[in-house]
Amino acid sequence: MTIAIVGAGLGGLALARVLHVNGIESVVYEREASREARGQGGMLDIHSGQPALREAGLIDGFFAIARGEGQDMRLLESDGTLLLQEDTPDDAPLARPEVDRADLRDLLLDSLPDDTVRWGHAYESAESGVVRFTDGRSATYGLLVGADGANSRVRALLTDARPAHLGQNIVEVGIPDIDRTHPGLAAMVGRGNYWVFGDGVSLGAQRNGDGRVRIGLSFYNTGEDWLATSRIPFDDPAAAKARLIELLPGWDARFIALIEACDDVVVPRSLTTLPLGLTWAPAPDVTLLGDAAHLMPPVGEGANMALLDGARLGLALAAHPDDLPTAVKEYEREMFERTGDAARMSARVQEMLMSPNAAQRMLAFFQPD
């Protein structure tokens, strides 16, 4: 059987690795020109996805690159009130460690034979066992797996569902080498996650393994045109930071100092999700995993579910190597139930974040007692 995986994200690579461990080869088609073609984003909280890395034989490699101190958390209100501070002991179990997405992707890439990932292959269409790419090339497949993310093009083979705006827009900024350049701010943020909640706005600061602190300003209950109408001049970083500060009236001076210390990288992000509990009729030769199958609010479940999707599909295919339709049905049945639960939980957390009393609701979430 020829298994063609579209997309070299975490889920697609986890699938390729678990198949490889079980003696089944696959091909991963990725539209980017190389693994270095673009940045891979910030840190990931990997918890429920750890069993997938065990199935892939990579759990020791994962623990070697994971940051246990990334489990630290501080939760504050916009006036500076500290609501919660959790500092992780150095010998604490790595239950929810943070890891750089790029490092985790490299771990998966390096575990595959050199010819598994075919870079520079942008998916165009698929029909009757043939996948076609935008440059005119094509390849045959017995099973096509759409692991091509939120804006998946493979998804259209199974469902008409499309991502819809979540009501949240993010502007991402950051401070490089913060321990050296701004040691006072570094001490304030701490080693892990730093959350500040105001009226309809939150600030999330997160340590990265390279010393950069990534800061996301989330604007809740905003429409998909908000970034265009917010009067944030994204082509002028200094003016963009000044405008962001204007959008934080009454916030403590320490948080304003965080924004002022950021470099010139200002990135807008408009968030979308797929319908809660999305399913589709099974097809014998096509399936989906990761954000292509169940794009959910970004509250810490997406990457974990993608890793599990890849591992579970790989194991189903290994269990039924001569019966692809049965393997796909078995995988999708489990995936729909598991990711449906995760999506419902994520939606509940997202509703808390978007509520007027978000700080207190999140405090109750993390400290129910």
Side-chain angles (χ1 to χ4, degrees), residues 255-316:
F255 310 139
I256 302 303
L258 270 179
I259 306 303
E260 292 174 335
C262 290
D263 62 13
D264 288 343
V265 179
V266 183
V267 181
R269 301 192 187 281
S270 182
L271 300 188
T272 59
T273 58
L274 283 167
L276 189 65
L278 175 66
T279 62
W280 52 82
D285 60 349
V286 183
T287 191
L288 305 172
L289 60 76
D291 285 348
H294 44 70
L295 178 64
M296 57 188 73
V299 297
E301 293 298 324
N304 288 279
M305 291 300 106
L307 289 168
L308 284 172
D309 289 351
R312 299 285 171 79
L313 177 55
L315 292 173

Side-chain angles (χ1 to χ4, degrees), residues 188-204:
M188 180 181 79
V189 170
R191 307 182 303 172
N193 290 284
Y194 186 82
W195 283 8
V196 185
F197 289 94
D199 184 14
V201 185
S202 73
L203 179 153

Side-chain angles (χ1 to χ4, degrees), residues 38-293:
R38 67 175 178 89
Q40 293 299 308
M43 305 295 288
L44 298 171
D45 165 11
I46 300 300
H47 47 283
S48 59
Q50 290 186 27
L53 296 169
R54 291 187 185 279
E55 293 290 350
L58 299 175
I59 194 65
D60 290 339
F62 167 72
F63 286 145
I65 61 175
R67 297 177 59 247
E69 66 272 20
Q71 299 173 111
D72 289 4
M73 184 174 64
R74 299 178 185 182
L75 180 65
L76 304 96
E77 292 183 309
S78 60
D79 63 0
T81 302
L82 178 64
L83 299 176
L84 176 65
Q85 179 169 336
E86 293 183 344
D87 296 322
T88 307
D90 291 339
D91 59 351
L94 294 177
R96 302 182 68 101
E98 299 282 343
V99 64
D100 277 68
R101 181 187 289 270
D103 290 346
L104 182 55
R105 189 188 193 215
D106 282 344
L107 177 68
L108 288 161
L109 282 168
D110 292 341
S111 73
L112 296 171
D114 290 341
D115 60 347
T116 300
V117 180
R118 311 288 170 84
W119 302 99
H121 283 69
Y123 171 89
E124 181 175 66
S125 64
E127 186 178 12
S128 302
V130 177
V131 56
R132 302 187 186 281
F133 304 99
T134 56
D135 62 1
R137 287 179 289 183
S138 64
T140 59
Y141 63 85
L143 175 66
L144 181 67
V145 182
D148 48 340
N151 297 311
S152 170
R153 300 189 65 184
V154 178
R155 186 191 297 128
L157 298 175
L158 294 171
T159 173
D160 293 333
R162 298 290 182 272
H165 194 262
L166 182 58
Q168 177 182 351
N169 292 279
I170 296 178
V171 179
E172 184 179 293
V173 290
I175 305 173
D177 198 8
I178 191 172
D179 288 308
R180 182 183 63 84
T181 60
H182 297 86
L185 295 177
M188 180 181 79
V189 170
R191 307 182 303 172
N193 290 284
Y194 186 82
W195 283 8
V196 185
F197 289 94
D199 184 14
V201 185
S202 73
L203 179 153
Q206 184 186 59
R207 286 279 187 143
N208 282 201
D210 61 0
R212 182 179 181 84
V213 163
R214 297 171 71 95
I215 300 168
L217 285 165
S218 292
F219 298 89
Y220 300 105
N221 301 301
T222 52
E224 56 187 321
D225 62 344
W226 184 86
L227 290 168
T229 61
S230 63
R231 295 188 291 113
I232 301 173
F234 293 104
D235 57 348
D236 183 344
K241 288 188 290 182
R243 174 58 180 156
L244 288 172
I245 291 171
E246 288 180 0
L247 294 172
L248 303 175
W251 280 50
D252 187 275
R254 293 172 295 171
F255 310 139
I256 302 303
L258 270 179
I259 306 303
E260 292 174 335
C262 290
D263 62 13
D264 288 343
V265 179
V266 183
V267 181
R269 301 192 187 281
S270 182
L271 300 188
T272 59
T273 58
L274 283 167
L276 189 65
L278 175 66
T279 62
W280 52 82
D285 60 349
V286 183
T287 191
L288 305 172
L289 60 76
D291 285 348

